[in-house]
Amino acid sequence: MAYVTIRISKNNSIEKKRKLVKAMTDALVSILDTKSESIIIHFEEIEREDWAVGGVLHYDKNSNKREDRDDRKDRDERDERKNW
């Protein structure tokens, strides 16, 4: 029996997860000489604001894009409140 935890950032598509699970399972079955039913894979999805590389939060990378998104979100929320 093999228990594997894969930590990945959020927002990966279900199709990417399917491909990853298939590739990991195939590799473990081959290397461990076991059945696929003996492989358990668990995903831990991590928010971009919860990890950093080189002293910089991943959330802050491409900060211009993030700021643009935040500005749009703020405008949308203000517009939504006006509609109430």
Side-chain angles (χ1 to χ4, degrees):
M1 184 82 59
Y3 298 89
V4 178
T5 298
I6 300 173
R7 292 184 180 135
I8 59 174
S9 59
K10 283 200 170 185
N11 301 322
N12 283 290
S13 70
I14 190 73
E15 188 56 35
K16 285 182 182 178
K17 290 179 186 177
R18 284 185 183 115
K19 289 178 182 179
L20 184 54
V21 165
K22 174 80 169 104
M24 290 292 297
T25 300
D26 290 348
L28 289 166
V29 165
S30 175
I31 293 167
L32 299 177
D33 192 28
T34 190
K35 297 178 182 179
S36 62
E37 295 80 16
S38 297
I39 308 298
I40 298 170
I41 298 176
H42 170 255
F43 286 104
E44 284 184 16
E45 293 183 303
I46 303 171
E47 294 282 352
R48 293 180 61 209
E49 63 192 38
D50 293 333
W51 62 284
V53 175
V56 178
L57 285 173
H58 187 66
Y59 181 82
D60 292 334
K61 292 188 179 221
N62 299 319
S63 62
N64 291 338
K65 291 180 184 177
R66 181 182 51 77
E67 289 169 4
D68 290 344
R69 272 196 315 271
D70 290 348
D71 289 345
R72 279 195 305 273
K73 183 179 175 188
D74 289 344
R75 280 195 306 272
D76 291 347
E77 288 174 355
R78 282 193 304 270
D79 292 343
E80 194 173 302
R81 283 193 297 268
K82 286 179 187 177
N83 292 332
W84 280 84

